[in-house]
């Protein structure tokens, strides 16, 4: 069975501080992994994705994530938080079918 | 290029009423998906169309939900009769043929059943 766990439903960081949002997945086959962001009153926007190849993937707005197979993790990071990063972030996995399995989301607050 | 659009953005109905949600995918995208997020929980898959055919409807909660995609363009999701537990945000996504992993999401429709 496939599942995604996002540790921490709410994360607060100071402006300029490191952002780390955690995602662990379970999958019986090599996964495709995704991070989506949802800004208030907007749809889900793809931040980055891992399909194959390089395990460190870079996305938009300075975010990156590293696929670690041994840890079944795909944590999202950004070196320096900006006020505009405040949003809800969703980790998702796609395995053998066409369904995406999402985590419960992490709401990021950036403190000035 | 226009993104995935959904209508309405919000809907408030009473228990027992009928509601129809609409999704217009990105032009040319054969794949269309419906997902739902109940408050505070994960976004869950409902079903997947390839053109006008239902490829996978394993996530549809029960027979009160009916999805259609006539002509392989826009899709509708009807809930009849609505129950309180149907409240949530309904997302639509689309992807090009052969690229099911490249799903583009709409803004969602927030449905509240009172």
């Amino acid at each position: 069975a496939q599942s995604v766990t996002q540790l921490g439903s709410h994360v607060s960081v100071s402006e300029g501080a490191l952002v780390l949002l955690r995602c662990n997945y379970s999958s019986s086959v090599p996964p495709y992994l995704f991070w989506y962001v949802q800004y208030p009153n907007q749809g889900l926007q793809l931040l980055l994705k891992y399909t194959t190849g390089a395990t460190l993937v870079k996305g938009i707005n300075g975010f990156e994530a590293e696929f670690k197979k041994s840890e079944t993790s795909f944590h999202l990071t950004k070196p320096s938080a900006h006020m505009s990063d405040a949003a809800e972030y969703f980790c998702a996995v796609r395995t053998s079918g066409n369904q995406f399995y999402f985590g419960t989301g992490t709401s990021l607050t950036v403190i000035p | 290029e226009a993104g995935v659009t959904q209508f309405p953005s919000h809907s408030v109905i009473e228990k027992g009423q009928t509601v129809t949600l609409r999704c217009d995918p990105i032009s040319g995208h054969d794949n269309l998906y419906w997902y739902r997020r109940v408050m505070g929980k994960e976004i869950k898959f409902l079903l997947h169309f390839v053109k006008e055919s239902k490829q996978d409807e394993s996530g549809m909660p029960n027979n009160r939900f009916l999805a259609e995609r006539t002509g392989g363009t826009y899709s509708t999701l009807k809930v009849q009769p609505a129950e309180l537990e149907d409240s949530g945000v309904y997302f639509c996504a689309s992807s090009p043929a052969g690229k099911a992993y490249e799903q583009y999401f709409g803004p969602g429709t927030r449905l509240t059943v009172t």
Side-chain angles (χ1 to χ4, degrees):
Chain A
Q2 288 69 234
S3 69
V4 176
T5 302
Q6 291 184 240
L7 291 177
S9 58
H10 293 87
V11 170
S12 293
V13 299
S14 297
E15 190 175 15
L18 171 72
V19 176
L20 170 61
L21 304 182
R22 299 178 186 274
C23 173
N24 288 85
Y25 68 92
S26 66
S27 174
S28 54
V29 299
Y32 286 4
L33 296 158
F34 307 82
W35 275 99
Y36 282 86
V37 60
Q38 186 179 24
Y39 299 103
N41 301 316
Q42 295 187 28
L44 296 170
Q45 180 181 0
L46 179 66
L47 266 182
L48 49 78
K49 66 178 182 284
Y50 168 80
T51 54
T52 58
T55 56
L56 180 64
V57 292
K58 295 184 185 299
I60 61 172
N61 302 336
F63 284 92
E64 61 182 37
E66 187 171 12
F67 168 54
K68 292 188 176 181
K69 183 178 177 181
S70 62
E71 299 178 5
T72 61
S73 70
F74 191 58
H75 302 329
L76 181 71
T77 60
K78 181 174 181 178
S80 176
H82 192 272
M83 296 298 295
S84 61
D85 295 326
E88 190 159 23
Y89 293 79
F90 295 90
C91 181
V93 62
R94 178 236 175 183
T95 55
S96 55
N98 293 316
Q99 297 183 26
F100 279 25
Y101 295 86
F102 284 86
T104 52
T106 298
S107 179
L108 176 67
T109 299
V110 181
I111 304 166
Chain B
E1 178 184 278
V4 176
T5 58
Q6 294 186 245
F7 182 82
S9 57
H10 294 85
S11 180
V12 181
I13 61 171
E14 293 183 352
K15 176 182 173 181
Q17 290 185 322
T18 297
V19 64
T20 300
L21 313 181
R22 174 171 169 145
C23 168
D24 286 78
I26 292 173
S27 178
H29 281 193
D30 286 349
N31 296 293
L32 187 148
Y33 313 82
W34 284 98
Y35 292 83
R36 177 175 73 172
R37 188 186 190 200
V38 173
M39 184 179 292
K41 298 195 174 182
E42 69 271 27
I43 300 169
K44 281 193 171 181
F45 169 85
L46 296 178
L47 87 160
H48 169 210
F49 283 100
V50 177
K51 296 184 180 178
E52 66 275 10
S53 299
K54 292 177 185 175
Q55 181 78 11
D56 180 356
E57 51 184 331
S58 60
M60 294 288 265
N62 51 61
N63 59 11
R64 295 185 294 103
F65 288 76
L66 175 64
E68 294 181 324
R69 191 183 183 196
T70 306
T73 54
Y74 70 91
S75 174
T76 58
L77 180 65
K78 180 189 289 187
V79 185
Q80 179 182 30
E83 298 288 346
L84 297 179
E85 63 265 26
D86 300 333
S87 295
V89 180
Y90 290 76
F91 291 101
C92 176
S94 71
S95 68
K99 292 188 175 182
Y101 57 85
E102 200 171 291
Q103 296 187 19
Y104 298 86
F105 283 77
T109 292
R110 182 174 296 278
L111 174 64
T112 303
V113 182
T114 63

